[in-house]
Amino acid sequence: MRTALLQSSGRPGSIAENLEVLDAAAARAAAAGAALLLAPEMFLTGYAIGDEVARLAEPADGEAADAIAELATRHGLAVAYGYPERAGASVFNSAQLISADGVRLANHRKTHLFGDFEQGHFTPGEQPVVQAELNGLTVGILICYDVEFPENVRGHALAGTDLLLVPTALMHPFQFVAESLVPVRAFENQMYVAYANRTGQEGEFEFAGLSALAGPDGIARARAGRGEELVLADVDPAFLAASRETNPYLKDRRPGLYGSLV
């Protein structure tokens, strides 16, 4: 399954403009044969928008979700994107996957909030493993800091995730996460990991770029630079199956030894 990663910070504070950016990226991705487009963390509104987070937050089935469902259907590819989700009195840092026929397939609420900004504006999610079936693959979702906790990714591996989508807002000086940690997560859990980052200066944050799609061999199939970019790579189920046979980490686990970890 050809997968496109949109590396962009969009237009912080403007949902309408970000939908236009996403629409243009979807057109380019579809023309290149992609079946899935992944946009970064909080792409719908922008990340460093302060108290605008609460004002711009929408429900998972809100107007923006409808607009993205329409563009996904029009371009004929699935779209996953980050956004602030309003649910009652709470706001979550969420990511949603919408199919090529406009169906909302999965919605993940970030479980591990990074830093004072996120902890001050969001409620942490409580469901670590969120999955959906897409084009014969089991697709899971985590958000940025979530992937830095090995327990989260191993939970996905044990639940059968083939492709882990990670919309992110990775900042300097933590670029080693994109360069080293993400490929290692893919290898040690025998899955593909798609990591789509923001880029450039936004408020007090400088985002690192370096979006990548890493395979189960720990090698990045595609790697972006530091600027705005659309990168594409293929997720190969046959290669994944062969890699899992060669690297049987999950079969060779000894859970009885790990009780002290929790």
Side-chain angles (χ1 to χ4, degrees):
M1 181 176 70
R2 182 152 295 177
T3 301
L5 310 181
L6 173 59
Q7 180 166 287
S8 172
S9 288
R11 309 295 179 263
S14 175
I15 291 176
E17 290 184 81
N18 289 327
L19 288 173
E20 291 179 2
V21 174
L22 192 62
D23 196 353
R28 292 171 56 201
L36 170 64
L37 171 64
L38 173 63
E41 180 178 6
M42 291 284 287
F43 184 78
L44 183 64
T45 60
Y47 182 91
I49 57 174
D51 291 339
E52 289 289 275
V53 167
R55 186 181 71 82
L56 295 176
E58 294 191 9
D61 59 354
E63 292 182 5
D66 290 342
I68 293 172
E70 187 279 327
L71 75 85
T73 303
R74 177 158 37 85
H75 294 296
L77 81 173
V79 177
Y81 64 99
Y83 73 108
E85 178 192 356
R86 168 72 65 186
S90 298
V91 175
F92 298 92
N93 183 336
S94 295
Q96 183 153 237
L97 172 63
I98 296 178
S99 74
D101 54 4
V103 176
R104 293 172 47 245
L105 296 179
N107 188 70
H108 170 69
R109 295 168 172 173
K110 190 173 187 178
T111 56
H112 293 73
L113 301 178
F114 178 78
D116 293 340
F117 171 72
E118 291 189 13
Q119 293 171 15
H121 287 86
F122 299 105
T123 298
E126 297 295 334
Q127 187 173 355
V129 177
V130 174
Q131 297 171 310
E133 295 302 310
L134 181 68
N135 294 3
L137 295 169
T138 299
V139 177
I141 308 174
L142 292 176
I143 300 173
C144 197
Y145 196 39
D146 285 341
V147 81
E148 298 177 38
F149 291 80
E151 300 89 345
N152 279 345
V153 188
R154 182 50 55 91
H156 271 276
L158 294 174
T161 293
D162 300 313
L163 169 61
L164 184 62
L165 306 180
V166 188
T168 192
L170 180 73
M171 308 154 190
H172 289 289
F174 304 113
Q175 48 267 35
F176 70 90
V177 172
E179 294 170 334
S180 301
L181 186 147
V182 167
V184 168
R185 288 284 181 269
F187 179 73
E188 69 189 4
N189 290 288
Q190 287 300 293
M191 62 174 62
Y192 284 89
V193 179
Y195 189 81
N197 197 15
R198 305 179 70 83
T199 183
Q201 194 75 34
E202 189 179 331
E204 64 183 287
F205 306 112
E206 183 183 358
F207 297 110
L210 301 173
S211 300
L213 193 149
D217 53 0
I219 296 173
R221 299 299 190 274
R223 169 77 69 187
R226 299 300 179 93
E228 295 213 354
E229 196 171 343
L230 184 73
V231 296
L232 297 102
D234 292 327
V235 173
D236 183 350
F239 182 83
L240 179 59
S243 182
R244 285 171 170 172
E245 282 298 315
T246 303
N247 301 285
Y249 287 125
L250 300 185
K251 289 190 291 186
D252 289 346
R253 291 172 69 251
R254 298 180 61 193
L257 300 180
Y258 312 146
S260 63
L261 297 179
V262 294

